Amino acid sequence: MNKTELWNVLEITFNAKTKVNGFCDAYVDVVFTHKEAGISLTMPAFWNGGYIWKVRFAPTIIGQWNYCVSEVKGTKLFIDGITGSFEAVEY
């Protein structure tokens, strides 16, 4: 499992299967969940050109975080439902 330090920004990249022409062509959120603490935080992803979408997140609690991509609206990118996890450790 990937690890990141508490309060440090983690950048996650997603490779879409559809290319958009601008940042307003699609809207993507990533929901980060810390199951033990019962916390869910939603962060907007951003288009980084071409097929690349990114999200940045700084964990606020030590432990395992899970994330899930949600395509909110616009062009279908085929990244909806992508999941992953990482562990936040002491700074």
Side-chain angles (χ1 to χ4, degrees):
M1 177 181 302
N2 292 330
K3 293 183 180 184
T4 190
E5 293 178 334
L6 196 63
W7 301 108
N8 280 347
V9 176
L10 174 67
E11 184 174 89
I12 303 169
T13 301
F14 305 101
N15 295 305
K17 293 183 179 166
T18 305
K19 186 176 180 181
V20 296
N21 293 321
F23 66 91
C24 292
D25 286 352
Y27 295 88
V28 177
D29 284 341
V30 182
V31 179
F32 292 87
T33 305
H34 191 286
K35 189 175 180 180
E36 291 176 15
I39 295 173
S40 287
L41 302 170
T42 302
M43 301 297 296
F46 61 92
W47 177 60
N48 199 49
Y51 297 90
I52 306 299
W53 286 79
K54 295 185 177 207
V55 67
R56 294 182 181 140
F57 178 75
T60 56
I61 298 174
I62 293 172
Q64 182 176 333
W65 287 85
N66 300 307
Y67 62 85
C68 184
V69 177
S70 175
E71 293 183 29
V72 179
K73 65 179 180 178
T75 302
K76 183 75 174 150
L77 304 171
F78 301 98
I79 58 174
D80 194 55
I82 290 177
T83 61
S85 62
F86 62 91
E87 183 179 354
V89 296
E90 217 31 79
Y91 179 75

